[in-house]
Amino acid sequence: MLELLAGQNIGVLENEGSVTQATKKKKLIWFTSSHDELWQPQGEQTVASVEGGDQSGQAVKRPKRKRDESDVDHSDQEANSQLFQSLTNEFQVQCSVGSLGDLKKGLSPDTVKVLVLGAPKTLLTQEEIDGIVKFVQDGGGLLVAHSYDSLFEQERQVYEQDQDPPASEEDEKYSTNYLMQEFGLRFKRLLSYPPEDIAQFEPHYMSSDINKIFLREPAYLEILPELPDEVLGSPQVVARLPETQEIFLVGVDVQYGRVAAIADYALFEDDYLGYGSHRQLMLNIVRWLMAENPIDCLEPTMPSEVVKGQAVEFRMTLKNSSQRRLEYVGCLLEGSRGVEIRESRQQIRSIGPFQQTQMQWMVIPHQLGDHQLRLTIELAQRNPLFFDTAAQFECVPDGEVDLVVLDDSGTVPKVLEAGKPYEVVAVLKKTVAVPDSELQVQLQSPSHKIQLEPLKAGMSNRWRLSALGAGTLPITVRVGASERKVSPFLVQVAESVQNRIERIEREALQPLIAQLQYQVSQLDWRFDSEVIRNIPCKIYTPEDQVRLLNSPETAEQKLEALRVARQERRSNRPLIEYLLNQVAPTFSPLHGCCIPYDPELAAELGQRHRNFAEGIAQNLLIAEGEEERLPQNLAALVLHEKYGHGFFFSHTKLGQQLAILYRHGMTRNAEVKRLKAPYPRAMYLRYRKAIQALWDSSVIVNEGFATWLELTVLTQMGGVMAESAYRRRTFLFERDNGLSARAKKSEYFEKFPPFRISRYREGCEYLQQIQGWFGEDGIRWAMAAFLKATDVDLGIGESNGQVQFALEPEVLEASLIKASQNDARADMRLRDIYDLLQGSAEKLRSEQKRLKFGQERVDLDEFVDSSIGQKLDW
């Protein structure tokens, strides 16, 4: 859009603040230059995930939209290159492009009518936010148009700022959402599969004469539950995304000004302006923001279902938005075929300045199916307004009673869950023309496992249902004063997730832990310690696990992804890859072994994403229909998390130091802003590079050991457990690429690159090879090699609830990244040990055998430790 300014006789406000104006006009429409050419005409846009927010290490690819030539409006071949010219001609104002930094000079609605933030990538200062809010409250119009990419870029910058907090609050910058909360709105990234277009709109001046708009990188909007006092009335939703019904376009009246927010700026870019109704939509939005629309359409109401032959009202409020009286306003409501509208044409003699009047029509459908109402508003000496979809509804058959059960998200579940509340709606379709008061519906259940109570006092068609147990349970429906009975409805109720989790923990997990405790204790006596025994191991719903392990800010995005995943009905690879990285079995030095469980979600996602079905089932314990795998999957995860990672963090020098850092929030992707200031935030910022390198240096050893322990014990258990070891090995070695993704953003791995893309493979293969070289003592050699690799003392301790570092940050960082010796690098130590043992395994076996049967008696652990230490000088 910016290049259009050349040769357009339009003033340009440069980022440096200098002004070049070919002509001076009385009013401005001011666009900010913050979108920076977000899109390319073709191809895919790759977006790296935000560390600490997404933490996936995966690139998220959003498909580009390609339009057919038939979609372009060829009536004006230059439409794509004349947006500013169109605005100039339409409103007799000057269009200018500038930076928000010039808000320091102040904006006045007397000189600037509309301010447009076009897909802003850069953050805002508090001074800029205050200036924009004051501009709107004084009577200005604000258009904020975001996109998936620009919103993502702002989130990335917020994260980076949180990692490097500014020296003072005055230097802190904020995302556009910080501004939008002043108007009761918030932009959110769309995680569901992006739709192609929108063809249904709510009646509003902005949607007048709009038929279809095409989308490229949509986000969506959310109306905040508590609106600021400055917002007048409720925000007016103009358009929603199809399928998900998320808000796409909304208008807000704020004291004397107006705000419009739209969730895809691409509609107004040069290469998209000619598609659909984009150009008209832009003109409508700007006219509404300038308060030059003569009338507003508010609060259209129409039932979503209407019984065939039944008359219902369509209502809508018309508001005069101008300072002049509106004379002779004509309204024509038309319906699709099979819809009768009584007094379809109505006329209002006048509407006073800023006054409103309510319109109503009687609508009678005579044909079953979906219907739409069209509305035309005729204004004296002004262009009429056209709404192709003033309302839509379904005409349903007469003479039935139906029960609709809804969960808390408003969707109809296939199976109800015991212990979870639901809303029951009774839809009564009368067979005779009698008053509704004579046909009250009553619900009862002969089963003590169902509780029913009216949702609100006096409400006769809605109830709250709670199932107290599982099974196929009946609900009896009675209609009318005669209480004539209708055939009972049967609802299928499954055991609640929480009850299932408690049962699995009681009947499967606890006995399995006792068995595995014995197995690992046979491998090494250290597993029989009280510390290992006391490591918690629990199963959670995915949402509960996310809330437990994350801060509220980090959890919000993950919970949103889970919500979308439960509603998504299309293949959505970016969403699945995100969930695979964010919702998985996890060991926490604070909470122990945490296993997410949701077989229904695993089955649904696996059906739509066959290539990821195994990973989804592993991450959510099992998929529905695969209950026979529960013991094997549980055993694998408990071995990996509780005993593998639990042993690393509790019994190795390196792991114990990392556990201290973890408990104080000093992880690789620490949320700096959540660390208390000045301590431990200041300390973390000093040591951050060293801490990140330390965590990176432990990945191959930590994950490799947990994998080796898991596969070794499963194989020794025999039967189906041994069979599951091969399945797990393939999954961990072949399906994971987490190390490859992590290496791209790591200074440590740039210096010491991993040999495998899987986090689990390299370290495990070293330990398996060492185990194989030493026969019946191989497991003890592998354990000793692991302990020697993690025998790294970096002087990190804890005293009086504070982390203590014995080394200065520069020294600690140098020992991990710059030093020529591998003393501090656990993964490099394991590689050195592997290389040493590979070349001297036979000699060491002979020496071990001589000591075993000779006069000398040497403990094997001491022998291994001294053999490695002497040769590697550790």
Side-chain angles (χ1 to χ4, degrees), residues 1-12 22-23 25 78 80-89 93-95:
M1 184 185 298
L2 302 182
E3 62 268 22
L4 299 183
L5 297 175
Q8 294 279 338
N9 199 30
I10 295 174
V12 181
T23 61
K25 297 190 178 181
E78 298 182 353
N80 284 350
S81 62
Q82 291 190 345
L83 173 60
F84 279 26
Q85 191 65 55
S86 297
L87 294 173
T88 302
N89 294 340
V93 297
Q94 177 180 322
C95 295

Side-chain angles (χ1 to χ4, degrees), residues 123-362:
L123 300 179
L124 307 174
T125 66
Q126 184 64 59
E127 189 176 14
E128 289 167 348
I129 291 172
D130 293 341
I132 294 172
V133 171
K134 184 178 186 303
F135 167 73
V136 174
Q137 292 177 349
D138 288 346
L142 171 66
L143 170 60
V144 183
H146 248 307
S147 70
Y148 181 98
D149 287 348
S150 61
L151 192 57
F152 185 94
E153 174 63 20
Q154 286 205 344
E155 290 178 3
R156 183 190 65 78
Q157 292 181 51
V158 168
Y159 169 77
E160 290 181 349
Q161 180 176 249
D162 288 347
Q163 295 300 91
D164 285 304
S168 64
E169 292 184 3
E170 289 74 17
D171 297 329
E172 188 167 5
K173 294 186 178 181
Y174 305 90
S175 69
T176 309
N177 276 333
Y178 194 82
L179 165 69
M180 297 308 292
Q181 70 183 8
E182 298 290 333
F183 311 119
L185 302 174
R186 177 167 60 175
F187 283 96
K188 301 190 76 173
R189 276 194 288 147
L190 181 69
L191 300 181
S192 55
Y193 193 90
E196 291 280 336
D197 53 55
I198 299 176
Q200 303 291 339
F201 302 88
E202 296 292 326
H204 188 278
Y205 184 83
M206 285 188 272
S207 62
S208 172
D209 208 19
I210 305 300
N211 300 310
K212 180 183 285 189
I213 57 176
F214 294 97
L215 308 176
R216 183 155 61 186
E217 287 292 330
Y220 73 93
L221 286 146
E222 184 178 73
I223 297 175
L224 300 181
E226 295 185 9
L227 298 176
D229 294 338
E230 291 77 13
V231 173
L232 305 179
S234 300
Q236 305 155 44
V237 177
V238 183
R240 295 178 181 271
L241 296 175
E243 298 182 11
T244 64
Q245 294 302 300
E246 307 286 8
I247 299 172
F248 179 77
L249 173 60
V250 64
V252 183
D253 284 297
V254 183
Q255 287 189 356
Y256 301 108
R258 288 177 169 181
V259 177
I262 189 167
D264 194 348
Y265 181 72
L267 275 64
F268 310 128
E269 288 197 322
D270 301 343
D271 60 343
Y272 246 41
L273 190 62
Y275 292 118
S277 304
H278 296 186
R279 186 180 183 189
Q280 184 63 46
L281 178 63
M282 184 61 179
L283 296 175
N284 288 358
I285 291 173
V286 171
R287 185 177 292 280
W288 184 79
L289 289 172
M290 296 173 71
E292 291 190 3
N293 61 306
I295 201 165
D296 272 322
C297 306
L298 308 174
E299 301 173 351
T301 56
M302 174 78 184
S304 59
E305 286 189 355
V306 182
V307 174
K308 180 181 178 182
Q310 177 181 319
V312 295
E313 284 187 340
F314 169 68
R315 299 189 187 94
M316 186 172 63
T317 299
L318 298 182
K319 178 182 177 181
N320 181 357
S321 301
S322 66
Q323 299 179 359
R324 297 181 179 180
R325 178 177 295 276
L326 283 178
E327 305 286 349
Y328 301 108
V329 179
C331 298
L332 174 63
L333 185 68
E334 301 172 282
S336 52
R337 183 177 181 182
V339 176
E340 175 189 351
I341 301 176
R342 295 176 181 171
E343 299 183 21
S344 61
R345 183 179 293 277
Q346 299 183 26
Q347 189 166 16
I348 308 166
R349 182 167 182 177
S350 67
I351 307 176
F354 304 110
Q355 298 298 306
Q356 59 187 38
T357 185
Q358 188 174 76
M359 307 295 296
Q360 60 185 39
W361 290 265
M362 297 304 298

Side-chain angles (χ1 to χ4, degrees), residues 69-125:
E69 286 294 323
S70 60
D71 291 329
V72 185
D73 179 11
H74 289 287
S75 61
D76 185 355
Q77 293 291 339
E78 298 182 353
N80 284 350
S81 62
Q82 291 190 345
L83 173 60
F84 279 26
Q85 191 65 55
S86 297
L87 294 173
T88 302
N89 294 340
E90 181 76 15
F91 303 112
Q92 295 302 304
V93 297
Q94 177 180 322
C95 295
S96 183
V97 177
S99 67
L100 285 172
D102 291 277
L103 281 172
K104 298 175 182 178
K105 303 173 184 177
L107 289 182
S108 169
D110 294 333
T111 56
V112 176
K113 293 295 290 183
V114 177
L115 173 64
V116 182
L117 303 186
K121 280 189 171 183
T122 54
L123 300 179
L124 307 174
T125 66

Side-chain angles (χ1 to χ4, degrees), residues 701 766-767 770 779-791 829-830 833-834 837 864 868 874:
V701 177
Y766 290 147
L767 296 175
I770 294 171
I779 289 177
R780 295 182 66 183
W781 274 90
M783 285 289 300
F786 164 70
L787 288 169
K788 194 64 178 177
T790 55
D791 186 22
R829 287 169 66 98
L830 183 59
I833 292 170
Y834 173 81
L837 296 180
V864 175
I868 295 173
W874 291 342

Side-chain angles (χ1 to χ4, degrees), residues 420-691:
K420 185 177 180 179
Y422 295 88
E423 181 179 342
V424 181
V425 181
V427 180
L428 175 63
K429 297 144 189 182
K430 297 179 291 186
T431 56
V432 292
V434 295
D436 290 343
S437 59
E438 297 182 15
L439 294 177
Q440 298 298 316
V441 178
Q442 302 174 37
L443 297 190
Q444 298 174 341
S445 178
S447 172
H448 68 280
K449 294 183 178 180
I450 286 188
Q451 290 184 347
L452 288 162
E453 58 182 7
L455 196 62
K456 292 182 180 179
M459 184 175 288
S460 61
N461 70 329
R462 292 178 181 267
W463 296 262
R464 177 170 284 108
L465 180 152
S466 297
L468 306 181
T472 303
L473 307 178
I475 297 178
T476 301
V477 181
R478 295 182 180 273
V479 182
S482 63
E483 295 192 354
R484 57 184 182 275
K485 195 173 180 180
V486 180
S487 298
F489 287 83
L490 300 177
V491 293
Q492 189 69 34
V493 181
E495 184 181 15
S496 72
V497 172
Q498 196 56 50
N499 284 348
R500 274 183 283 169
I501 288 175
E502 293 173 0
R503 177 172 53 79
I504 291 172
E505 289 182 335
R506 181 177 63 253
E507 299 177 3
L509 180 59
Q510 295 308 320
L512 183 61
I513 289 177
Q515 181 184 1
L516 295 176
Q517 181 70 47
Y518 172 78
Q519 291 286 340
V520 296
S521 298
Q522 299 303 300
L523 257 63
D524 191 285
W525 60 271
R526 282 164 286 228
F527 283 107
D528 200 26
S529 69
E530 185 176 356
V531 173
I532 295 291
R533 289 179 178 273
N534 290 336
I535 292 176
C537 189
K538 291 187 66 64
I539 301 173
Y540 300 89
T541 66
E543 285 79 4
D544 285 346
Q545 191 212 38
V546 165
R547 295 186 186 99
L548 177 71
L549 299 179
N550 299 275
S551 68
E553 292 82 1
T554 303
E556 181 181 3
Q557 181 79 1
K558 299 179 182 181
L559 293 172
E560 175 72 0
L562 285 167
R563 182 189 70 82
V564 172
R566 296 186 188 282
Q567 297 178 346
E568 183 74 285
R569 293 297 176 263
R570 300 177 64 178
S571 176
N572 190 338
R573 179 166 177 165
L575 177 63
I576 293 304
E577 290 179 338
Y578 176 83
L579 286 176
L580 284 172
N581 281 280
Q582 302 305 318
V583 183
T586 303
F587 179 83
S588 160
L590 278 175
H591 304 289
C593 172
C594 305
I595 302 173
Y597 170 76
D598 196 324
E600 291 82 6
L601 179 60
E604 290 181 9
L605 296 179
Q607 288 176 359
R608 292 193 295 275
H609 306 85
R610 298 291 183 183
N611 292 339
F612 298 95
E614 178 68 17
I616 296 167
Q618 294 279 350
N619 278 15
L620 298 179
L621 192 52
I622 56 170
E624 191 175 31
E626 299 179 355
E627 284 73 13
E628 72 281 356
R629 287 189 174 183
L630 178 63
Q632 298 98 292
N633 290 358
L634 263 181
L637 296 177
V638 171
L639 285 167
H640 193 104
E641 305 296 339
K642 176 180 171 72
Y643 294 107
H645 294 315
F647 186 90
F648 170 77
F649 281 107
S650 63
H651 278 68
T652 70
K653 286 184 181 179
L654 176 60
Q656 290 166 354
Q657 293 168 94
L658 289 175
I660 291 172
L661 295 176
Y662 184 97
R663 290 194 294 270
H664 289 268
M666 297 185 182
T667 59
R668 179 177 179 272
N669 295 311
E671 297 179 74
V672 179
K673 208 168 186 179
R674 291 189 61 81
L675 296 176
K676 291 183 179 179
Y679 177 88
R681 183 187 298 180
M683 179 173 287
Y684 177 79
L685 290 173
R686 287 185 65 213
Y687 282 89
R688 179 167 56 189
K689 287 187 177 181
I691 290 172

